[in-house]
Amino acid sequence: MKSLLLNPKPINSIIFPSKTQNSPRFNPHPFPNLHIQSRHRWIRRRNLSTAVKAVLDSATVEQFGIPEFDFRNPSLSSSYRSSKLTRPNQTVLDAQTRVCTGPTQTKPLDEEQAFKVFDTILRSARGEIKDEEEVSKAQMGAFFAAMTIRANAFPEATQWSEGEMRAMKTFWPLLVRVLPPDIVFIADPEGLMMGLGSSIGPQFVGNGTSEMRLVGALREVLAGGHLGFEEVQGVLKEVLPFQEEGEKPHGASEALLAAFLIGQRMNRETDRELKAYCLAFDEEFGPPPIADVKSLTHYGEPYDGNTRFFRSTLFVAAVRSCYGESCLLHGVDWMPPKGGITEEQMLKFMGANISLSPFNAKKLLEDEEVGFAYVSQREARPSLYSLIGIREHIKKRPPLATTEKVQQYVKASGKEAIVTGFYHGGYEESLLMLMKRRGVHSGLVVKGEEGALSMTTRLRSSMTKGIPVNYCSGFRSLDISSTSEPGGVTRQGFSLEVNAKDYGFQPTDTPRTDRSVKFSRFCVFSPFCNILPIYGTSMKYG
């Protein structure tokens, strides 16, 4: 990755602002043990120092309207969280951790927990809790959606506990008097809660056309049902970008939107629902630009980052670009629920321009001296980026956490591949399905450390359940005329569990960045030493 930072001369570029040439942060010889002729023989791009045309002069900064860069501590990912975001109430958020999840993962609240949560919601609805302790409407929407779906559609083991039943019986007569109509609808869409016979839920239709469409879809979701492709896309396009109530005349309440997002995930999305989330905003700014390159690899890491292990993809992509393989990364600065280190944070700390438009990324991919670019969701899909605040308040990952990893912010005239990470079993097939829907030549999903792409050299534990770390699955298109799949494309599938010993690596424990300052510093600044970070190897200092 040092090749991305080095700059012997100030060159007009749209990637990096000016850096002092003799700064101790950068080593001008990333491969000190290689003879210079060997370096030129191995690296196809002009050289590592100019692989990304490393400097932005003041004229370019002004031309592209790039804001001043502020540098934050790369080991404190929380420093990238926007100060404009309101924090969720921790008591209710802890409860959401337990109940806003799947049919087998949900952990019902006991009586003490349930009484505490409902009391907190009641006091907040009455206006007795202010500022950051207030329970947001998004939290209420997500929590009550989870309670409704559990009652309507979950198996007996994850439905309401006796403690939750007693708490609801105690608090609902009080809550129904003070909660807004949209939240009462989410909690009691049929008006049958505790035998009170409320008419609010059955008669609620929402305010405005956008909200009315969302309410109609939400009734099906709260019953444990699923929606069609066009129905999901229609809802998303109606209500996004999200704006606070009062800012958008035809928007939707955050409670309803939060309930919709978490409800779809709790019901485990169908393929058609995931495709709708994936493709809904492909042309938010018109058709994506097409880069004139022979091949392009899209890397889709989990947008909420890493908190325990090093993410190597940024450096792997930079090296591959030096060998003539164009690479495009995408992500965000900070994303819940994990709120970990992201590629954008690393690039920003190193002084990169993290505000490229897809069109500017296309130009970099086509440049023979570069072949590498990063696009932020903030620039390419502002409608989806507008949901970050709500995503923090629903606690769990929504369907977008899966589909945003399979994006094509720039397309290629040549062959394309998508590589992405996953963690929860079952979603590997969904990701590959979305890649095929994208029409790429090949696709790969990797269960790396923390669900990212970085693999490990450590041996598989005998206690491991489910899909192990280092599991890979994918497909490649064959140049055979066939009608076996839509579009006449034949695809060869494959899957394997990568054992580092088969590639000459000795088993080691992967350094934990959350437990060692030494390894944390190393992971940020020394990725080229004994390079093959895609295996998460224990590397020497350079």
Side-chain angles (χ1 to χ4, degrees):
M1 189 61 201
K2 292 177 183 177
S3 63
L4 297 180
L5 302 177
L6 299 173
N7 179 54
K9 304 177 190 177
I11 304 173
N12 192 29
S13 169
I14 58 175
I15 294 190
F16 286 89
S18 300
K19 294 289 183 187
T20 305
Q21 295 179 35
N22 61 357
S23 169
R25 184 180 298 173
F26 309 123
N27 174 11
H29 302 292
F31 293 125
N33 297 325
L34 293 180
H35 189 274
I36 188 169
Q37 292 181 349
S38 299
R39 291 208 304 269
H40 284 299
R41 184 168 62 251
W42 284 101
I43 306 300
R44 295 182 187 177
R45 303 289 185 193
R46 186 167 297 178
N47 59 56
L48 282 173
S49 297
T50 59
V52 193
K53 300 171 73 177
V55 173
L56 254 177
D57 62 19
S58 58
T60 305
V61 171
E62 183 177 351
Q63 175 186 353
F64 287 93
I66 297 168
E68 290 293 325
F69 293 91
D70 56 310
F71 295 92
R72 298 182 172 99
N73 186 339
S75 66
L76 299 174
S77 59
S78 59
S79 66
Y80 289 85
R81 181 184 180 277
S82 173
S83 60
K84 297 179 181 179
L85 298 175
T86 59
R87 294 190 180 277
N89 176 279
Q90 193 60 48
T91 296
V92 178
L93 199 68
D94 291 342
Q96 291 171 252
T97 302
R98 298 176 62 91
V99 304
C100 291
T101 185
T104 60
Q105 296 83 16
T106 286
K107 298 178 177 62
L109 305 175
D110 61 30
E111 186 168 339
E112 181 181 355
Q113 292 168 330
F115 268 75
K116 183 178 180 181
V117 170
F118 283 114
D119 178 65
T120 301
I121 293 174
L122 177 62
R123 289 189 294 115
S124 184
R126 285 173 170 172
E128 299 170 7
I129 300 178
K130 299 294 184 181
D131 302 324
E132 291 189 352
E133 291 300 313
E134 183 178 0
V135 183
S136 71
K137 291 183 179 179
Q139 281 191 278
M140 293 184 192
F143 175 77
F144 282 115
M147 295 294 287
T148 301
I149 291 172
R150 289 171 58 209
N152 288 337
F154 273 24
E156 185 176 354
T158 51
Q159 290 181 5
W160 291 9
S161 67
E162 291 184 3
E164 288 172 321
M165 290 285 289
R166 283 192 286 269
M168 184 65 84
K169 186 175 182 179
T170 300
F171 283 96
W172 185 247
L174 304 174
L175 286 167
V176 75
R177 299 173 188 171
V178 295
L179 289 176
D182 54 347
I183 297 175
V184 173
F185 154 70
I186 295 168
D188 188 19
E190 301 300 325
L192 302 176
M193 183 76 73
M194 299 300 152
L196 292 182
S198 170
S199 63
I200 297 176
Q203 295 181 3
F204 184 78
V205 295
N207 299 312
T209 56
S210 298
E211 210 168 79
M212 291 173 67
R213 188 168 192 170
L214 177 56
V215 169
L218 193 49
R219 286 192 182 275
E220 186 69 25
V221 172
L222 293 173
H226 294 283
L227 306 174
F229 175 84
E230 293 182 355
E231 192 171 7
V232 174
Q233 278 212 335
V235 168
L236 294 175
K237 290 181 178 180
E238 282 277 359
V239 301
L240 298 181
F242 172 75
Q243 293 178 330
E244 296 292 340
E245 293 179 41
E247 295 181 5
K248 187 177 181 181
H250 303 293
S253 82
E254 60 182 288
L256 295 172
L257 187 51
F260 182 78
L261 293 173
I262 199 63
Q264 290 245 279
R265 173 50 58 101
M266 290 180 66
N267 290 337
R268 289 301 300 262
E269 316 90 333
T270 63
D271 282 356
R272 63 177 179 266
E273 288 172 326
L274 284 173
K275 283 189 285 188
Y277 277 94
C278 185
L279 308 175
F281 294 96
D282 273 7
E283 298 194 3
E284 186 166 2
F285 294 126
I290 300 176
D292 185 16
V293 294
K294 64 180 180 63
S295 69
L296 176 61
T297 303
H298 305 261
Y299 289 96
E301 291 275 32
Y303 274 29
D304 62 347
N306 279 29
T307 58
R308 295 173 290 156
F309 298 105
F310 171 48
R311 281 167 74 115
S312 63
T313 303
L314 174 60
F315 309 107
V316 172
V319 172
R320 290 190 69 238
S321 71
C322 295
Y323 284 81
E325 298 294 336
S326 298
C327 298
L328 178 66
L329 279 76
H330 52 91
V332 290
D333 46 357
W334 181 89
M335 178 69 75
K338 185 176 290 185
I341 297 291
T342 65
E343 283 76 20
E344 184 164 324
Q345 290 179 22
M346 290 189 280
L347 285 165
K348 189 169 185 177
F349 180 79
M350 292 184 286
N353 174 13
I354 41 80
S355 299
L356 292 176
S357 68
F359 178 76
N360 284 334
K362 164 191 174 295
K363 293 194 292 185
L364 291 175
L365 293 171
E366 292 175 335
D367 193 317
E368 293 183 357
E369 294 184 354
V370 185
F372 171 90
Y374 171 84
V375 175
S376 175
Q377 185 189 67
R378 179 184 57 257
E379 305 298 325
R381 301 288 185 270
S383 289
L384 301 182
Y385 188 77
S386 70
L387 289 172
I388 286 181
I390 286 181
R391 290 174 68 166
E392 183 177 15
H393 285 238
I394 68 174
K395 180 55 181 176
K396 293 293 186 175
R397 295 174 179 87
L400 288 167
T402 298
T403 62
E404 63 198 359
K405 295 184 290 186
V406 191
Q407 294 300 309
Q408 286 176 297
Y409 293 148
V410 179
K411 292 187 177 182
S413 58
K415 293 182 177 181
E416 290 183 80
I418 296 179
V419 184
T420 188
F422 77 100
Y423 183 80
H424 295 290
Y427 280 98
E428 70 278 12
E429 293 301 323
S430 297
L431 287 165
L432 291 173
M433 175 274 297
L434 292 173
M435 294 178 190
K436 293 174 183 177
R437 176 61 178 79
R438 288 289 187 195
V440 297
H441 179 265
S442 55
L444 175 67
V445 293
V446 178
K447 184 173 180 179
E449 301 280 18
E450 294 191 71
L453 292 173
S454 299
M455 296 185 184
T456 180
T457 62
R458 73 174 186 268
L459 296 176
R460 179 181 183 181
S461 170
S462 59
M463 303 296 290
T464 300
K465 296 181 180 180
I467 298 176
V469 175
N470 284 17
Y471 172 84
C472 302
S473 182
F475 66 88
R476 59 175 64 88
S477 299
L478 304 178
D479 295 327
I480 300 175
S481 177
S482 171
T483 58
S484 59
E485 291 194 29
V489 177
T490 296
R491 296 186 177 95
Q492 178 185 57
F494 58 89
S495 62
L496 72 156
E497 182 182 339
V498 176
N499 186 338
K501 293 182 68 175
D502 296 340
Y503 298 88
F505 292 90
Q506 293 302 310
T508 59
D509 288 334
T510 307
R512 291 282 295 258
T513 59
D514 59 339
R515 296 178 182 173
S516 168
V517 174
K518 177 179 68 173
F519 281 124
S520 180
R521 286 171 57 83
F522 162 66
C523 287
V524 173
F525 294 113
S526 303
F528 265 117
C529 310
N530 285 354
I531 194 161
L532 234 181
I534 195 168
Y535 288 106
T537 57
S538 179
M539 299 177 279
K540 302 176 184 176
Y541 286 90

